[in-house]
């Protein structure tokens, strides 16, 4: 089946650091990438939707200057958490979707971000 | 706006017994429904989907789900649960009018005891 590779799997860093998370579709073209945030024992919260070559569309309440999303190619999207603070600590998950194939979204394994 | 409800936070079942995880939905138009499973510190794995056709959908790992339009439900089922089925299960609906994003239910934790 389709594979989405997400790196790193875990990040621990100091407050004020910017952190970049990569999401790659390995065997399909992800025309659309979705970024989610998941708090402990809770469901996934969609942060933003990015279409290849376009600016990301952010969900209400998500700071676009805080969470920078780039989707420059059909196989790579990145989420950069700028000047991260402890409240940004969370589990971040990406998913890829090929509009042409109309298959289910395929998810990465997530990134556990811990800001000290 | 679309919504998905999973009324049970946790389901406990003995190994070998049938497993059911409940899901109800609210959509305008035809529903595109999905079930995903999440293991600890992992992303979501696709189990099955309903787009159109037969109301009984068969998916991965022996799971199936029954679409019931009159009850707006899409319950996940497995005839004989395994300890390895213990995980977090999410029901989701695709919003075709909003960039095809998924709206997830709150999740149901399944614990299968040996």
């Amino acid at each position: 089946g389709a594979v989405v590779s997400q790196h790193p799997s875990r990040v621990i860093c100091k407050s004020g650091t910017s952190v970049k998370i990569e999401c790659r579709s390995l065997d399909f073209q992800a025309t659309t990438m979705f970024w989610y945030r998941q708090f402990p024992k809770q469901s996934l919260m969609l942060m933003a939707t990015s279409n290849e070559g376009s600016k990301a569309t952010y969900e209400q309440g998500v700071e676009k200057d805080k969470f920078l999303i780039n989707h420059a190619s059909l196989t790579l999207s990145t989420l950069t958490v700028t000047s991260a603070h402890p409240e940004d600590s969370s589990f971040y998950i990406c998913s890829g979707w090929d509009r042409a194939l109309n298959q289910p979204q395929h998810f990465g394994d997530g990134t556990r971000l811990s800001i000290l | 706006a679309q919504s998905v409800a999973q009324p049970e936070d946790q389901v406990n079942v003995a190994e070998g017994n049938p497993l059911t995880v409940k899901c109800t939905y609210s959509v305008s138009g035809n529903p595109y429904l999905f079930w995903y499973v999440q293991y600890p510190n992992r992303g979501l794995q696709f189990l099955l989907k309903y787009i159109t056709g037969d109301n009984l959908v068969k998916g991965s790992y022996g799971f199936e789900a029954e679409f019931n339009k009159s009850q707006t439900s899409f319950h996940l089922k497995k005839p004989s649960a395994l300890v390895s089925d213990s995980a977090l299960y999410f029901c989701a609906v695709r919003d075709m009018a909003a960039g095809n994003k998924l709206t997830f239910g709150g999740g149901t934790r399944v614990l299968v005891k040996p």
Side-chain angles (χ1 to χ4, degrees):
Chain A
V3 177
V4 171
S5 175
Q6 184 174 344
H7 291 282
S9 59
R10 187 176 182 95
V11 178
I12 303 173
C13 58
K14 295 181 179 180
S15 185
T17 305
S18 291
V19 178
K20 179 183 284 188
I21 302 170
E22 290 190 351
C23 183
R24 294 181 182 271
S25 57
L26 299 185
D27 55 358
F28 70 102
Q29 294 183 329
T31 51
T32 303
M33 291 271 198
F34 300 90
W35 287 94
Y36 298 86
R37 183 172 180 176
Q38 186 178 29
F39 293 100
K41 299 184 179 181
Q42 292 190 24
S43 188
L44 278 71
M45 180 191 76
L46 180 66
M47 299 174 66
T49 302
S50 73
N51 293 303
E52 184 264 339
S54 303
K55 288 185 178 180
T57 301
Y58 290 81
E59 296 298 301
Q60 190 173 5
V62 178
E63 300 176 59
K64 62 180 181 180
D65 295 329
K66 175 73 162 177
F67 300 99
L68 301 179
I69 291 172
N70 183 283
H71 190 175
S73 78
L74 286 171
T75 59
L76 174 65
S77 178
T78 60
L79 166 66
T80 301
V81 183
T82 61
S83 187
H85 292 283
E87 59 267 27
D88 299 322
S89 298
S90 192
F91 192 56
Y92 293 88
I93 307 174
C94 69
S95 74
W97 185 63
D98 186 337
R99 190 182 308 123
L101 296 179
N102 197 24
Q103 293 292 318
Q105 289 184 26
H106 299 283
F107 287 80
D109 273 344
T111 297
R112 170 99 31 221
L113 177 61
S114 299
I115 307 299
L116 304 177
Chain B
Q2 303 190 148
S3 65
V4 177
Q6 293 179 241
E8 301 158 314
D9 290 337
Q10 181 160 326
V11 170
N12 298 319
V13 63
E15 187 174 30
N17 282 2
L19 169 64
T20 298
V21 186
K22 296 180 180 177
C23 171
T24 59
Y25 64 89
S26 175
V27 302
S28 55
N30 295 322
Y32 285 19
L33 297 159
F34 302 83
W35 274 103
Y36 286 87
V37 60
Q38 184 181 32
Y39 295 97
N41 295 309
R42 301 292 297 275
L44 276 63
Q45 294 181 28
F46 168 74
L47 285 178
L48 52 79
K49 65 179 179 181
Y50 173 82
I51 304 294
T52 185
D54 291 339
N55 290 341
L56 185 63
V57 179
K58 294 190 181 296
S60 306
Y61 313 118
F63 284 94
E64 58 188 29
E66 186 169 8
F67 171 69
N68 187 315
K69 188 174 183 177
S70 63
Q71 298 185 4
T72 62
S73 67
F74 189 55
H75 301 330
L76 181 70
K77 299 180 180 181
K78 186 170 184 179
S80 179
L82 302 173
V83 172
S84 57
D85 292 328
S86 298
L88 188 56
Y89 291 78
F90 290 101
C91 182
V93 61
R94 180 187 289 175
D95 191 340
M96 302 293 285
N100 291 291
K101 62 182 180 181
L102 292 176
T103 300
F104 286 91
T108 298
R109 187 163 302 279
V110 170
L111 180 60
V112 182
K113 297 182 179 180

